[in-house]
Amino acid sequence: MMKETIIEDSELGCLIVRVNPRARSLVFRTKREAVYVSVPPGTTLKEVKRAIENLRGRLLASRQKMGRPLIDLNYKIEAEFFKLSLVSGEKDRFLANSRLGFMQIVCPPDADFADENLQDWLRKVIEESMRRNAKSILPPRLERLARQHGLSYTSVKINSSQGRWGSCSGRKAINLSYYLVLLPSHLIDYVLLHELCHTREMNHGERFWALLNQFTEGKALALRGELKKYRTEI
C-alpha cells in the first residue's frame, strides 16, 4: 500500500489512510473533514477495508456527531413549540432559564464552544428541556386527537428515540420521541395520528393508509414527504 491512500466511502465519506512506521495497530481518528487511519507498515488495503467494515457502526456514529452544528452564541432553535437561544453573560458559569416552550442559556464570556465536553453538556441540557416540554405538550395533544377520531390507546411514553418519531406496540402502547417538539404543529399531529392509526392497523398496508388519509384530509403521503425534511437530532 502507498504511503497515503484515499478511500471514498458512500456512508463515511473520505478516509485518508497513512502508513506510520511507529504504529503497531490500526488507529482511526474522526475529524470534520475526513476519517484518518494510521496503519503499521506492511498493512494491506484489504486489511484496512476489513477493519472499516468491523468498525462501520462506530465510525458512522462518530461522523454524525462531527457533522452536527456547533452550539454557540449563533445557535438557535425557532420551532413552533420550542425556542432556544444562547447569550453571553458576565458570570463565570452557565445559567439555564427555561419555561414551557422557551429556553435561554447564559454563557460565560470565555466559554470555549470548541470543547467537545462542553458541546455534549449543552446538548444534554437542551435535550432535557425538550423532554420536559414534550411531556407537557404531547400527551394532551394525543388524547385530544384520539377522542376526536374515536381511537384508543393504553399508554403513552416520551423517549429520546432518534430515527423514529414514534411507535405503537401490539398492546396499543404509544411511544413518542421528544424531538417532536421541533416540528410544526401539523406534522406533530400527523405523527400522532400515524401512531393512533396503528392501534387499528398494525402494518402499513392499504387499510392503514386509507385510515390515515381519512384523518388527514387525504394528505397522508404529502405529510410523510414533508416530515422527511426534519431530523430527530439537534
Side-chain angles (χ1 to χ4, degrees):
M1 190 169 61
M2 298 174 61
K3 189 173 182 180
E4 180 174 295
T5 302
I6 296 177
I7 299 174
E8 292 291 344
D9 186 274
S10 59
E11 289 185 317
L12 298 170
C14 180
L15 295 96
I16 300 175
V17 185
R18 292 173 176 168
V19 176
N20 183 348
R22 293 177 295 178
R24 295 185 178 181
S25 61
L26 279 70
V27 178
F28 289 77
R29 293 184 177 86
T30 303
K31 295 188 178 182
R32 291 188 181 274
E33 67 276 12
V35 177
Y36 291 87
V37 189
S38 180
V39 304
T43 303
T44 65
L45 189 58
K46 184 177 180 180
E47 290 173 322
V48 174
K49 289 184 176 180
R50 184 165 57 243
I52 291 171
E53 291 308 315
N54 291 337
L55 295 172
R56 181 169 292 274
R58 292 183 183 179
L59 292 172
L60 276 173
S62 184
R63 287 292 284 165
Q64 289 168 356
K65 187 176 181 179
M66 284 288 181
R68 294 185 301 189
L70 188 72
I71 298 178
D72 58 14
L73 297 177
N74 295 315
Y75 185 87
K76 292 183 183 298
I77 295 177
E78 292 287 346
E80 186 174 342
F81 289 101
F82 186 75
K83 292 177 171 52
L84 167 78
S85 63
L86 286 83
V87 298
S88 183
E90 298 179 355
K91 296 185 178 181
D92 60 354
R93 60 192 179 94
F94 286 86
L95 296 172
N97 302 317
S98 182
R99 66 181 191 275
L100 185 62
F102 296 89
M103 184 180 197
Q104 183 184 74
I105 301 177
V106 183
C107 309
D110 60 347
D112 179 12
F113 293 106
D115 182 82
E116 189 173 332
N117 291 327
L118 174 57
Q119 287 294 304
D120 288 342
W121 180 81
L122 286 169
R123 277 192 165 78
K124 287 179 182 178
V125 169
I126 296 168
E127 288 169 353
E128 183 54 38
S129 181
M130 289 167 54
R131 184 194 298 273
R132 291 196 300 270
N133 276 266
K135 285 183 175 181
S136 296
I137 294 167
L138 299 180
R141 205 173 184 93
L142 183 71
E143 177 64 20
R144 177 180 62 80
L145 288 170
R147 289 180 180 273
Q148 179 181 338
H149 296 290
L151 300 168
S152 63
Y153 56 95
T154 57
S155 65
V156 57
K157 292 183 179 179
I158 307 300
N159 60 35
S160 60
S161 176
Q162 290 185 317
R164 298 187 71 180
W165 296 104
S167 64
C168 179
S169 74
R171 296 183 177 180
K172 300 184 180 183
I174 291 178
N175 288 284
L176 300 171
S177 169
Y178 57 66
Y179 289 98
L180 280 166
V181 298
L182 301 180
L183 298 178
S185 57
H186 69 286
L187 289 181
I188 292 176
D189 286 350
Y190 165 75
V191 173
L192 301 186
L193 285 170
H194 184 114
E195 302 312 329
L196 284 170
C197 285
H198 279 313
T199 63
R200 286 191 187 173
E201 301 291 338
M202 280 305 297
N203 55 41
H204 288 103
E206 289 184 7
R207 290 193 301 180
F208 169 85
W209 287 108
L211 187 63
L212 188 52
N213 259 326
Q214 178 185 333
F215 297 147
T216 58
E217 300 179 343
K219 299 177 182 177
L221 293 180
L223 290 168
R224 183 180 68 170
E226 187 180 351
L227 183 63
K228 290 180 179 180
K229 300 175 184 177
Y230 294 84
R231 299 188 301 175
T232 49
E233 63 180 0
I234 59 172

